[in-house]
Amino acid sequence: MNYIFENSDIVRDYECDIQGIVNNANYQHYMEHSRHLYVLDRGVSFTELHEAGIDVVVARFEIAYKVPLRPCDEYVCRLCPEKKGIRYIFHQAIFRKADNKLCCQAQVDCVATQNGRLLAGHPTLDSLL
């Protein structure tokens, strides 16, 4: 995959379950945060879009877990966007920094709505690709 954006972070203790590994839902939080950072990095504000009546929402999230992260592990979240029809698709992966092991990978399908109606595209969103 030709990832075009990445951000780093560290696992916090409270993100782990009783087994001492990151709870599966937190990987989705990590990826959402990465998508938001990517959009901000490109000069686009979800707040401004929302105020204009445009919302980008997740329509589908498919994830495969590979190697768990543990407390204090540093990780890198990478993404590669594409557009197919009305969907904005984010291919994302999280790698453990210490050994570059793939921890999980996902495909996140998003759609844009304007005042509650699906949009086929939008110039601001299309500029992210």
Side-chain angles (χ1 to χ4, degrees):
M1 184 65 55
N2 186 24
Y3 298 108
I4 65 166
F5 181 82
E6 69 178 41
N7 68 289
S8 299
D9 210 339
I10 190 167
V11 174
R12 291 158 287 276
D13 292 343
Y14 66 84
E15 296 169 331
C16 298
D17 56 29
I18 198 165
Q19 299 161 325
I21 59 176
V22 170
N23 180 278
N24 58 26
N26 284 314
Y27 293 96
Q28 293 182 40
H29 293 289
Y30 299 163
M31 290 182 185
E32 181 171 10
H33 183 62
S34 186
R35 289 192 307 277
H36 280 254
L37 290 175
Y38 167 72
V39 168
L40 286 172
D41 185 65
R42 298 301 192 263
V44 176
S45 165
F46 278 133
T47 302
E48 290 174 7
L49 286 171
H50 174 74
E51 289 169 355
I54 298 165
D55 292 302
V56 180
V57 297
V58 172
R60 181 178 175 189
F61 196 108
E62 184 178 322
I63 190 166
Y65 299 98
K66 304 294 184 181
V67 174
L69 288 169
R70 298 183 182 282
C72 298
D73 277 350
E74 292 182 65
Y75 64 87
V76 177
C77 188
R78 297 181 176 129
L79 69 77
C80 176
E82 72 171 312
K83 188 163 190 297
K84 284 187 179 176
I86 64 169
R87 296 177 297 148
Y88 294 91
I89 299 170
F90 292 87
H91 302 279
Q92 293 188 256
I94 295 176
F95 297 86
R96 189 169 51 209
K97 262 190 169 180
D99 55 9
N100 204 37
K101 290 253 184 183
L102 176 64
C103 298
C104 65
Q105 58 190 23
Q107 178 177 311
V108 185
D109 295 3
C110 299
V111 294
T113 63
Q114 185 164 25
N115 301 318
R117 296 180 184 260
L118 279 174
L119 288 175
H122 187 277
T124 301
L125 298 173
D126 292 349
S127 73
L128 298 172
L129 305 173

